[in-house]
Amino acid sequence: MPVVSQPPLAPAFLATLLPELSAIRRDIHAHPELAFNETRTADLVAAELARCGVEVHRGLAKTGVVGVIRAGTSSRMIGLRADMDALPLQEMNAFPHRSKREGCMHACGHDGHTTMLLGAARYLAAHRNFDGTVVFIFQPAEESEGGAAVMIEDGLFEQFPVDAVYGLHNWPGLPVGEMAVMPGPVMAGTCAFEISVRGHGCHAAMPHQGIDTIVAASQLVQALQTVVARNLHPCDAAVVSVTQFHSGSAWNIIPEEALLRGTIRTFKPEVQETVERAVERLCSGVAAAYGAQIGVVFDHRYPPTVNSAAETEICRRVAAATLGADKVRSDELPSMGAEDFAYMLREKPGCYVWLGNGPGTGGCTLHNPHYDFNDDILALGVGYWVRLVEHTLGN
Ligand code: NI
C-alpha cells in the first residue's frame, strides 16, 4: 500500500504539545538514571500516559512501562519502543538542563526517545485515527544490561502479542530532517572475550629460566589482527579489538600471567562462528609456539539488530511521507555499535531506524560528555510514529 504525501499532523495540537514535550525532554535529561533504576523516569512516563487516558502496565523488567491504546475493532497490534536509561558518564555541558546527578548523563539521547514516544501516545490517544492496538514499550537498561531481553523474559510479547515491533534512534551526523531506513543488519552483534596467558615467571635478567608471558601475549595481540583480514570473505564485516592488556608488577620480573580482554562485532552468526574458531586457533598456536598456556572465554552479549524486509519497506514509505522521499536514506552503512532492540527483532518482525540529530559538531557524538538530544527533531519523531501507526493500522 503506497503512502502518499500526507498533510502535517494537526498543527494546533502540535503547537501546544511541542513546548510541553521539550520541557519533559529537558526534565528527563536533568534527571538521568542508570539501568533498572529508572524509577523517576518510569513514574513520569506512567503519569504522562495516564494523564492522556492511556492504559498503563508496570513491572516488566522492574522499571519498564507499557502503554496501550485501542481503537476500532481490528485485532491488529503493533509495538513501538523507546529506551529510558542513561550512561555512567560525567556531563560536561553547562546549559540549564544539564544533569543534576554526578557521573550520570543522557549521552545517547534516550531522553529524546522517551519523550517522542510520549508525544506520539498523547497524539494518538487524542485522535485515534486507526483501527487496532498500539503498544508503547518504554524499556529500561538498553546501554549494557539488555533490558529489552528482560522485558521479553518477563512476558512482554505474551501479554502484548504484537504483530511487529518498531524502534528509533537519534543519529548525530545525519542532518536534521533526514532518516536512515535500511533492510537487514543495521547494528552489530557484540561478544566480549577474555584471554588468559600463563607463562613461567622469572627474573627479568634471566629470561632463559622462564616462559615470557609478555612476549607471547604481545604476539597474540598482533596475530588477532589477522582474524578478520585473513579468515573472512572480504565483503563480510567484523571487528576484533583488544581493549585491555593487564600484566606485570615490577620492572625486573617477567610475569607469570597476562590477561587480555576485548570485543568482537559481527552481523551474521556464521561470521561470528568463523571469528571465534580463528581466535581459538591463534591462542592454541601461540601457546604451542611459546610453550605457554592460553585459554579464551567468549561472552555473547547483544545479537545483531536485523530489520525485516516488509516492515522496513513500510517504514521507508512512512519516513518518505513524513520527511520527503529525498530525505530518506536507504544505503547508509550499518553501525558496528550494538543495540538491545535486537532481542525484540529476534522475536518479531520489525524495523529500527535512525532519525537525524544534526551535525556531530566538535566530535559531539553519541556517548560523548557534551552530547545533547536536539529538541528540533521532537516533532519529526512524533510525526513518524503517528504516521507509522495510522498507516500500519489504517482504517
Ligand atoms: Ni542509545
Side-chain angles (χ1 to χ4, degrees):
M1 195 192 321
V3 178
V4 284
S5 62
Q6 296 178 0
L9 300 179
F13 189 88
L14 281 185
T16 319
L17 178 63
L18 288 174
E20 286 182 41
L21 289 184
S22 181
I24 289 171
R25 206 284 296 176
R26 290 172 186 218
D27 179 65
I28 296 174
H29 188 94
H31 301 92
E33 294 170 305
L34 297 179
F36 299 119
N37 288 295
E38 304 91 340
T39 50
R40 183 187 186 278
T41 312
D43 286 347
L44 183 155
V45 166
E48 284 295 320
L49 291 173
R51 198 161 69 84
C52 55
V54 178
E55 181 183 309
V56 177
H57 301 257
R58 301 191 66 169
L60 289 176
K62 192 177 169 192
T63 47
V65 183
V66 177
V68 178
I69 304 180
R70 294 182 189 84
T73 54
S74 170
S75 61
R76 293 175 298 179
M77 183 185 289
I78 65 166
L80 312 180
R81 170 272 203 176
D83 37 15
M84 301 188 290
D85 59 320
L87 285 156
L89 182 66
Q90 182 62 41
E91 179 154 7
M92 293 175 71
N93 289 312
F95 46 59
H97 63 279
R98 69 181 174 277
S99 172
K100 295 185 190 307
R101 301 211 163 115
E102 278 293 300
C104 184
M105 79 169 284
H106 273 290
C108 203
H110 298 185
D111 47 346
H113 302 166
T114 299
T115 305
M116 289 187 290
L117 195 55
L118 281 174
R122 183 96 71 87
Y123 189 97
L124 289 162
H127 294 81
R128 299 191 191 239
N129 183 27
F130 61 92
D131 186 15
T133 302
V134 187
V135 179
F136 299 84
I137 304 164
F138 295 88
Q139 74 150 84
E142 189 285 321
E143 289 294 354
S144 56
E145 308 291 328
V150 181
M151 284 192 91
I152 293 167
E153 283 162 24
D154 285 358
L156 174 66
F157 292 138
E158 281 82 41
Q159 284 186 52
F160 310 99
V162 298
D163 308 318
V165 65
Y166 298 91
L168 176 157
H169 208 292
N170 74 106
W171 211 253
L174 194 63
V176 168
E178 295 193 17
M179 286 177 76
V181 184
M182 288 91 68
V186 284
M187 304 285 287
T190 174
C191 171
F193 64 85
E194 184 171 289
I195 296 173
S196 60
V197 181
R198 176 174 285 271
H200 186 78
C202 65
H203 197 298
M206 300 154 200
H208 60 291
Q209 294 179 347
I211 292 172
D212 194 330
T213 309
I214 297 276
V215 171
S218 300
Q219 182 69 51
L220 185 55
V221 171
Q222 296 295 329
L224 288 172
Q225 295 314 304
T226 67
V227 169
V228 173
R230 302 293 87 175
N231 292 276
L232 300 185
H233 187 290
C235 295
D236 273 327
V239 173
V240 177
S241 289
V242 176
T243 57
Q244 297 182 38
F245 189 135
H246 301 284
S247 189
S249 58
W251 59 269
N252 57 356
I253 298 170
I254 289 174
E256 183 91 358
E257 286 179 292
L259 189 65
L260 308 178
R261 292 197 184 99
T263 183
I264 297 168
R265 304 294 167 110
T266 57
F267 292 110
K268 300 176 186 169
E270 62 271 28
V271 170
Q272 178 70 27
E273 184 70 18
T274 301
V275 168
E276 289 181 25
R277 295 299 82 77
V279 169
E280 286 171 348
R281 273 199 310 279
L282 289 172
C283 288
S284 307
V286 170
Y290 289 84
Q293 291 171 291
I294 302 183
V296 57
V297 178
F298 299 104
D299 177 8
H300 298 106
R301 299 188 179 178
Y302 296 174
T305 302
V306 184
N307 287 337
S308 57
E311 284 68 25
T312 303
E313 179 56 18
I314 290 170
C315 290
R316 192 189 62 73
R317 292 178 185 191
V318 168
T322 307
L323 305 170
D326 59 330
K327 301 295 185 191
V328 182
R329 303 187 186 190
S330 53
D331 56 355
E332 287 285 296
L333 289 174
S335 165
M336 299 311 290
E339 162 60 67
D340 83 344
F341 188 62
Y343 291 106
M344 295 196 184
L345 288 179
R346 275 209 308 206
E347 303 291 322
K348 300 286 179 180
C351 181
Y352 177 82
V353 301
W354 298 339
L355 176 63
N357 197 63
T361 311
C364 192
T365 53
L366 298 175
H367 295 207
N368 180 281
H370 292 283
Y371 195 68
D372 194 29
F373 178 85
N374 185 347
D375 284 344
D376 291 344
I377 69 172
L378 285 169
L380 301 177
V382 172
Y384 169 75
W385 282 136
V386 168
R387 289 208 165 93
L388 182 62
V389 169
E390 292 182 347
H391 178 66
T392 51
L393 305 179
N395 286 308

